[in-house]
Amino acid sequence: MTTPIITSLAPLLDRLFDEAEAASGATRAAVADLSEADRARMMRSKTDYRALYGRLKDVPLAVSRETGTLLYMLTRSSGARTIVEFGTSFGISTLHLAAGLRDNGGGRLITSEFESSKAARARENLSAGGLIDLVEIREGDALTTLQADLPDTIDLVLLDGAKALYPDILDLLENRLGPGAIIVADNADDSPDYLARVRRPGSGYMSTPFAEDVELSVRIS
Ligand SMILES: C[S@@+](CC[C@H](N)C(=O)[O-])C[C@H]1O[C@@H](n2cnc3c(N)ncnc32)[C@H](O)[C@@H]1O
């Protein structure tokens, strides 16, 4: 039996999660001059997201360890071969997804990030993990970079960029999601329009909040 790549990635992932946890002070400091109300407004804004994430360009903002594990498990259990990720940052979630693809026998992962220093960090991390050959990092605003040249069918989507754009990104991908396709949306509470859409009866999705901050949706028709 061959050893799954996720096993050999454990030291790298552990270090990256430790670094992400250690950056929580820097994350708070990057927005400390904003009032609570301004922070909440920018988080949900369709126009201010670039300014908000510009302030956060040096910090990982990674999914939790549990969500990382969930991403790998969902990739494996669905046998996913094609994945699109909105919001790469340092590539911590990307590593879990790409490891799942590798352990499934291969595939294609397209991920999107508009901060070029973050895309460079993600490239380094994916190279260190031996997974860069499976991943295409598209630099620029995902509203543009995810408009074309996508696989005919997409098995799994991770939404983890600007929260207000989740419905717009779903618009770009939706006609490639067949029955059984999975969408994981991190911190979806900040995207009420997205939640209303995937939870609406008759929407074509089954959707449920999962753990603390994830909305897990499956295309059912
Ligand atoms: C929460 S972080 C992603 C964390 C990453 N998924 C992980 O777990 O390692 C969100 C990232 O999305 C990027 N981002 C936000 N809106 C974007 C957009 N419209 N297009 C491309 N990247 C975007 C931000 O720069 C930030 O790095």
Side-chain angles (χ1 to χ4, degrees), residues 36-221:
E36 190 75 18
D38 274 347
R39 240 175 282 164
R41 185 186 47 73
M42 286 174 90
M43 195 73 177
R44 293 186 175 204
S45 166
K46 282 203 182 194
T47 49
D48 292 345
Y49 61 86
R50 191 75 212 230
L52 176 66
Y53 285 101
R55 286 168 171 260
L56 298 167
K57 70 179 172 37
D58 297 322
V59 289
L61 305 171
V63 293
S64 67
R65 288 176 196 263
E66 293 76 14
T67 300
T69 301
L70 177 71
L71 292 172
Y72 175 80
M73 289 166 61
L74 289 173
T75 304
R76 289 304 306 277
S77 63
S78 65
R81 293 292 185 152
T82 48
I83 298 179
V84 174
E85 176 179 50
F86 169 46
T88 321
S89 197
F90 291 5
I92 297 178
S93 51
T94 324
L95 279 162
H96 290 83
L97 294 166
L101 286 182
R102 177 78 82 219
D103 290 335
N104 282 345
R108 180 178 183 202
L109 196 171
I110 294 167
T111 183
S112 49
E113 175 56 58
F114 53 29
E115 292 298 340
S116 44
S117 62
K118 285 191 151 183
R121 289 281 283 263
R123 206 165 284 118
E124 269 171 36
N125 290 333
L126 287 155
S127 300
L131 293 163
I132 191 69
D133 59 303
L134 298 175
V135 181
E136 181 188 341
I137 303 176
R138 294 192 180 173
E139 277 188 51
D141 195 311
L143 287 176
T144 305
T145 64
L146 296 183
Q147 264 182 23
D149 191 20
L150 294 168
D152 292 342
T153 59
I154 300 169
D155 300 322
L156 193 152
V157 173
L158 172 62
L159 298 176
D160 197 20
K163 310 305 157 194
L165 301 185
Y166 284 8
D168 306 78
I169 299 296
L170 182 56
D171 284 343
L172 296 178
L173 308 178
E174 194 164 45
N175 65 358
R176 295 163 197 276
L177 302 176
I182 296 167
I183 311 175
V184 177
D186 204 35
N187 311 116
D189 285 349
D190 283 315
S191 194
D193 292 348
Y194 174 80
L195 287 183
R197 176 164 164 183
V198 291
R199 289 178 183 175
R200 185 178 55 80
S203 65
Y205 297 97
M206 285 281 272
S207 194
T208 184
F210 193 84
E212 249 175 51
D213 50 4
V214 165
E215 181 77 6
L216 178 60
S217 312
V218 172
R219 186 94 195 239
I220 57 168
S221 63

